[in-house]
Amino acid sequence: MATAILRNPQDFITCPDTGQNLNKPAISLAKANIFTAIVFLLAGGALGLLVALTRWPAIHILPSELFYIALTGHGAAVLLFWCHFFEVGVAYYFVTSPINARLATPKIAWFSFWLMLIGAAMATVMVLIGQATVMFSAYPPLKAHPLFYVGVILFAVGALIPMFIIIATLIKAKNERTYTGSMPLASFGILIYAIIAIFTWVMGAVIMIPTLLWSMGLIHNMDAQMYRVVFWALAHSTQQMNIVVHITIWYTLAAVLFGARPLNEKVSRMAFVLYLFALQLGSVHHLLSDPGSSFAWRTFNTSYAGYLAVLGSLIHGLTVPGGIELAQRRRGLSHGLFEWLRKAPWANPVFSGFFLSLVLFGFLGGITGVTMSNQQINMIIHNTVYVPGHFHGTVATGTTLAFFAFSYWIVPLLTRHKLAFPGLARMSTYLFGLGMGTFAVFFMAAGHLGVPRRHWDITYADASLPFQFSATVQMLVTVAEIGAVIGGTGALFYLISILGTFMGKTVEKGALPPLAEPAGVVAARLHGGTEPHIKGLEVPGSLVLCLTLLTFLIIYYFAQYKYLATIWGIR
Amino acid sequence: MADFDSPTENPEDADPVSGWQAFMDDPSMLLFLGIASPTLLYTLWGVMEVLSVPVAGY
Ligand code: HEM
């Protein structure tokens, strides 16, 4: 085996807890990005709570104008700014530490950070002062103040630059031989993320620049359908960036907590490549009920290509828990199907957040995402609260929960501060998972009964044509919003704990909780490698979990078609 | 400072890199294919279809 070489050791510090070599500029940038992300989550979470308390029929707290400001602000602050600042921050870590690399061009990385921050602040202010009440999708003919679009464009350009820095860092590391063999899986995941991001942010520019000109009155006609096609190349792909990063985090946390390795690294890598080719094509599932495009375009992208991406997800869904199961069984936890899981560290928020995110993402976000990508089924849920129900299953209980779990590990690692308020941290993952999970499930049920999304008042009190939803619907929406409040409380506990950690005191050693393996081995595990000679049967518990998911998917699919047949009978 | 001469502790970690894996480790190839695929199959194809819808006469 060739030997890895360290260039400029003075640019690194070694973590006494994990044995990793941390590149100093990358750590500062990661901390700044993650901290900013958390501030946006605070703002966006508060707005989300106000939205939930308005949609809760018995409370109905905001008047309509403020409701739509809060809804737009919530969508932008959490979906765009929380997720993408956080992702850029962790990406800087993933492309440096696991491969002993130095970040390329830190000065440009700082420049991009400020661009993102100025853009995000500008867009948020325009929303909060009521000059951009266009929802996060900003569909024409809804028009915002030009400064809102300028803010979004600055943010997108700022978020694009780090992707080239990431790729340059990886190429430089390879050339300087800072690692040997194949690129570690975590860094590879981030490479895939960066490529998807380049497509995404370029699409953002392609659609936002004409929209800016239109808002300034320089272009007179904005084609609503053309906007939607290109907008979803941007907006859906940002979700794929989220997914790729949170899956990279799953693999990393499995390695950190259990010393687990992917069952087969090459297969996991292939699953990331499937994402690269097929995931963004699923953007069409936002347009399935729109006019103006052919059945071939819709079906090729969502059904044929989309299923390749689903295959990728099923692979990750088996290999991540499978790696943990194998590591646990080797430690002697091999009774029955699930001793390895029962005896996992459920009181550690790094684990609970990670595992709940894995399960909830698969069952709530994944299964519903696959079925609603079907042309016929899409028609029964289009523009209902089923849609926010589904995507809180992906971005909240999937991505955000994984980011919570990872923060509890990475923030102490980067700051060398002990986790503050560990009791709150412990509760946060359960409250957020349970609350947002309830919100998602009950919103999806209400969506099936026709409750529209983004609606200020489902009692239609001031509508000229009276309409009343049944008591069942009122109950479903109420339970969903109770779930949202519980989830919001979980998010608040997370924020208190993580902001407290940022402000804590530096410790020499022991900032991180005790790890399953000695420091040097943890660092090596992050480098990856494959479990030798694994066929899958060595991990029966994970196989059962995956087959349960698959069975549930099949039953759910049939149930949706049955439902379609009852409400839209063919006689 | 950790030992940089042995970034992996287990000899089995040092899998030989197959040709396929080396291909997958090549950022420029992945970058090209990863941008070309959605640009052609989603964006260009989708935009062409919207463009081909006849404009209503007022
Ligand atoms: C903190 C806990 C959260 C609460 C209480 C919450 C609550 C809500 C509620 C009630 C809606 C309104 C749905 C509708 O009326 O159509 C909503 C919409 C939305 N939420 Fe959340 N949510 C939370 C977390 C998140 C997270 C973490 C994300 C993304 C990472 C997210 C992204 C969105 C988006 C994109 C919308 C749609 C906005 C729009 O329609 O323009 N939410 N949320």
Side-chain angles (χ1 to χ4, degrees), chain A residues 41 44-53 55 67 71-72 74-80 82-83 134-137 239 242 384-385 388-389 391-392 395-397 399-400 404 432 436 439 443 452-456 481 483-489 491-492:
Chain A
L41 178 67
L47 292 170
L49 269 180
L50 286 173
V51 172
L53 292 175
R55 291 221 61 154
F67 171 79
L71 186 58
T72 308
H74 169 64
V78 281
L79 197 68
L80 267 182
W82 145 250
C83 288
V134 291
M135 314 299 108
F136 85 93
S137 45
Q239 305 324 304
N242 298 340
T384 69
V385 285
F391 69 65
H392 281 80
V395 288
T397 66
T399 301
T400 299
F404 283 9
F432 190 77
M436 295 320 290
F439 175 71
F443 245 26
R453 69 179 289 199
R454 294 175 163 174
H455 207 291
W456 168 65
E481 304 306 356
V485 173
I486 297 172
T489 312
L492 181 69

Side-chain angles (χ1 to χ4, degrees), chain A residues 1 3-4 6 14 21 100 181-183 188 195 199 226 229 232-233 261 265-266 269-270 273 277 280-281 283-284 287 293-294 297 301 524-525 527-528, chain B residues 1-2 4-5 7-10 12-15 17-18 20-21 24-25 27 30-31 33-35 37-39 41-43 45-47 49-51 53:
Chain A
M1 184 185 135
T3 316
L6 174 70
T14 303
N21 303 296
N100 303 321
S182 188
M183 191 187 298
F188 185 75
I195 296 172
F199 170 78
M226 190 67 88
V229 169
W232 283 112
R261 286 190 295 192
E265 216 222 10
K266 290 186 191 101
R269 212 171 265 261
M270 196 60 225
V273 174
F277 293 130
Q280 294 110 293
L281 305 182
S283 306
V284 178
L287 304 165
S293 47
S294 70
W297 179 67
N301 281 287
R525 286 288 191 235
H527 190 85
Chain B
M1 189 65 53
F4 280 91
D5 285 335
T8 54
E9 308 254 320
N10 256 325
E12 69 209 13
D13 285 340
D15 287 340
V17 181
S18 65
W20 176 236
Q21 196 146 349
M24 288 207 284
D25 274 353
L30 288 175
L31 182 64
L33 295 173
I35 303 282
S37 138
T39 306
L41 293 171
Y42 175 81
T43 312
W45 186 359
V47 165
E49 295 212 339
V50 175
L51 281 178
V53 175

Side-chain angles (χ1 to χ4, degrees), chain A residues 329-395:
Chain A
R329 284 185 186 276
R330 286 194 181 141
R331 251 179 226 114
L333 300 173
S334 54
H335 283 291
L337 279 179
F338 292 117
E339 193 193 15
W340 61 276
L341 190 55
R342 271 199 329 275
K343 298 207 172 143
W346 288 98
N348 179 351
V350 180
F351 174 74
S352 61
F354 149 48
F355 208 81
L356 284 176
S357 133
L358 180 88
V359 172
L360 293 174
F361 176 74
F363 278 89
L364 297 185
I367 287 182
T368 59
V370 174
T371 42
M372 74 196 283
S373 296
N374 180 284
Q375 170 90 52
Q376 290 83 348
I377 293 174
N378 191 273
M379 282 190 283
I380 47 179
I381 52 87
H382 182 68
N383 265 348
T384 69
V385 285
Y386 187 98
V387 178
H390 150 73
F391 69 65
H392 281 80
T394 59
V395 288

